[in-house]
Amino acid sequence: MDKLTFKIYNSIEDLPLLWDTVAQSNVFLQTSYLSVLECSAPINMECFYIGIFEEKDLIGVSLAQYLDLNKLESFGERDKSLKVAFRNFIFKKFASHTLFLGNNMITGQNGYAFSKEIDFEWISKVLLQSAEEITTYFKKKGITIHLVSFKDFYEDCAVELRKFRLSETYEFNTQPNMIFYLDPNWKSMTNYVEALSKKYRDQYKRAIKKFNGIKVKNLSYEEVIKYEHIIYDLYHYVAKNAPFNTFFLAENHFSVLKGQCGNRFQIFGYFLNDQLVGFHTLLLNDDVLETYFLGYEETVQKENMLYLNMLYNMTSYGIENGFQRIIFGRTALEIKSSIGATPVNMSGFIYHNNKWINKYIGKIFKQLEPELNWQQRHPFK
């Protein structure tokens, strides 16, 4: 372990040649995806790429993201309450410059990958040292990093990490990650529907009936370019009405992603009377199907149960293409559980660079956490 070092890069062009070989198990750490962030990151985001070496050999890769919340147009406009207003004030005042070790744009353990087994003591050490080095980088530019967050660890990793230096930071759990573990015996949606209880078969049939008249098309790169402005408007409507946001995508994000990742990035358009009224996106990550961003027209969503139909279509894609699980993320927990996804708790670690605020970070964080009021559904027989 004494021979392990790390280096932080600001540009994809400077990354070591074997970067993608080390990152082969995770599409979100490969240069095809990272170059998308470099070309079309949210306007308030700056990315850093961390190479981890054993002597001269690259054995690990990691991602960090800096967010300037002062540049954000809105934290989300859905919820209006005193608590939400207080949360937004706190973030603007005391956490406007935030550093994430990991990918703040997606849910899941996508912050690092190694080509060989590394003990958690050293992982904990390199994460903290990377954060300190990037914090110093910004300090030299006259920017004070307020909050540092180590994002999204599954419980088995969190247990190990908290044994070492990350134990000095505050561990938090937010909304669970909704994951659908697909039955390997399912070969088609017919198998899936047959496994549902009557109540949820009726839900499926009702959604399909409401969907009548809407056509779904897997969009090519040229079509993504053609519909880019509409796609962005549909995304922006959903994002703006989310309960909380720390970024908004660049308008060209989806076309750049399609151009860079090709068939590993799938974008499906939903058309009503030849008008694009919704879309959803998927990233193919080894045996895992990752749901990405989506958008829709609210009136069509309500009348045609568009969102629920999107979930069924994502499920169908996962089953028919042999994926083991679908990562549905942290939003709309109840409706996702109604199609078969189950909640998986994930942990993060944070600290504030102001020692007085950091002393009470646990109490402050609990006051800012959104309330979880939802009922898990159990749709199978």
Side-chain angles (χ1 to χ4, degrees):
M1 292 297 106
D2 293 337
K3 298 177 182 178
L4 293 182
T5 58
F6 68 90
K7 184 176 180 180
I8 297 174
Y9 303 89
N10 297 76
S11 171
I12 298 294
E13 291 183 356
D14 299 331
L15 297 184
L17 290 176
L18 293 178
W19 184 281
D20 282 342
T21 302
V22 176
Q24 62 182 335
S25 64
N26 195 315
V27 67
F28 294 111
L29 289 166
Q30 295 167 13
T31 54
S32 56
Y33 177 79
L34 297 180
S35 62
V36 175
L37 298 185
E38 190 162 284
C39 297
S40 64
I43 60 169
N44 67 327
M45 177 183 289
E46 183 176 349
C47 293
F48 298 87
Y49 320 102
I50 304 162
I52 302 160
F53 298 84
E54 185 175 41
E55 294 186 337
K56 294 183 179 180
D57 296 329
L58 182 73
I59 62 164
V61 298
S62 187
L63 172 68
Q65 295 173 332
Y66 159 71
L67 286 176
D68 182 355
L69 302 185
N70 293 310
K71 296 181 179 179
L72 202 62
E73 60 179 274
S74 165
F75 281 115
E77 299 176 7
R78 191 191 74 181
D79 299 335
K80 308 289 184 182
S81 70
L82 190 60
K83 182 175 181 177
V84 169
F86 174 68
R87 178 200 65 191
N88 294 351
F89 170 78
I90 291 295
F91 269 93
K92 280 283 188 182
K93 193 75 174 175
F94 302 107
S96 57
H97 299 288
T98 298
L99 178 65
F100 289 92
L101 274 292
N103 192 331
N104 188 50
M105 297 172 65
I106 52 177
T107 302
Q109 192 168 302
N110 299 295
Y112 59 77
F114 290 92
S115 60
K116 61 185 294 184
E117 191 170 334
I118 302 295
D119 66 66
F120 282 95
E121 181 177 7
W122 207 90
I123 294 174
S124 174
K125 182 179 178 181
V126 76
L127 289 174
L128 281 160
Q129 288 184 345
S130 299
E132 290 164 4
E133 187 168 316
I134 297 171
T135 298
T136 300
Y137 163 84
F138 279 105
K139 189 174 183 179
K140 291 177 180 177
K141 296 174 66 174
I143 297 172
T144 299
I145 297 293
H146 298 132
L147 196 67
V148 177
S149 176
F150 305 88
K151 185 177 182 289
D152 279 359
F153 300 98
Y154 290 111
E155 185 59 29
D156 57 339
C157 292
V159 166
E160 295 300 319
L161 288 170
R162 74 172 73 111
K163 293 177 182 178
F164 304 106
R165 284 190 60 193
L166 281 176
S167 65
E168 301 166 14
T169 65
Y170 175 69
E171 183 180 353
F172 65 93
N173 304 98
T174 54
Q175 295 186 40
N177 186 5
M178 299 301 291
I179 301 179
F180 196 169
Y181 297 93
L182 299 175
D183 189 326
N185 295 315
W186 296 340
K187 304 303 178 185
S188 68
M189 278 300 277
T190 300
N191 300 141
Y192 164 78
V193 174
E194 288 173 348
L196 296 170
S197 66
K198 183 180 183 306
K199 176 180 178 181
Y200 292 97
R201 278 201 310 274
D202 290 344
Q203 173 182 281
Y204 175 80
K205 292 175 183 177
R206 187 165 61 252
I208 297 301
K209 187 175 181 180
K210 284 278 189 177
F211 198 55
N212 184 41
I214 294 179
K215 297 179 180 178
V216 186
K217 186 175 185 182
N218 192 339
L219 301 181
S220 66
Y221 173 69
E222 291 74 20
E223 288 170 321
V224 176
I225 293 288
K226 176 182 177 181
Y227 294 111
E228 187 157 61
H229 295 303
I230 301 174
I231 289 170
Y232 185 79
D233 287 344
L234 294 171
Y235 151 76
H236 190 259
Y237 170 79
V238 173
K240 191 173 65 173
N241 286 280
F244 187 64
N245 266 314
T246 54
F247 66 88
F248 288 93
L249 296 175
E251 188 166 328
N252 68 342
H253 184 78
F254 298 104
S255 61
V256 173
L257 186 52
K258 186 64 177 174
Q260 289 288 345
C261 295
N263 288 334
R264 295 192 71 181
F265 174 62
Q266 302 286 324
I267 178 165
F268 293 86
Y270 291 71
F271 293 84
L272 181 61
N273 300 324
D274 295 323
Q275 299 295 313
L276 183 65
V277 295
F279 76 95
H280 80 259
T281 56
L282 299 168
L283 271 157
L284 285 53
N285 193 6
D286 199 20
D287 59 2
V288 179
L289 187 62
E290 307 266 1
T291 64
Y292 203 53
F293 295 97
L294 57 76
Y296 50 70
E297 282 189 14
E298 181 60 28
T299 53
V300 179
Q301 139 62 17
K302 288 181 177 179
E303 291 180 14
N304 298 84
M305 300 178 73
L306 187 57
Y307 182 69
L308 182 56
N309 274 291
M310 286 181 177
L311 296 179
Y312 286 130
N313 287 340
M314 295 175 200
T315 300
S316 176
Y317 189 95
I319 293 170
E320 292 173 3
N321 289 279
F323 288 92
Q324 292 185 10
R325 61 188 186 276
I326 305 174
I327 307 296
F328 277 115
R330 285 196 168 95
T331 58
L333 308 182
E334 191 161 326
I335 193 172
K336 287 173 180 174
S337 75
S338 78
I339 66 155
T342 54
V344 176
N345 289 325
M346 304 199 75
S347 293
F349 300 87
I350 57 171
Y351 68 84
H352 201 283
N353 276 312
N354 181 303
K355 65 178 182 179
W356 298 110
I357 295 177
N358 193 57
K359 185 178 179 180
Y360 300 101
I361 192 70
K363 292 180 179 179
I364 295 170
F365 188 88
K366 288 176 181 177
Q367 291 299 315
L368 300 178
E369 274 188 296
E371 293 182 16
L372 264 184
N373 294 309
W374 72 288
Q375 182 180 348
Q376 183 178 352
R377 304 296 179 176
H378 302 278
F380 299 110
K381 296 175 183 174

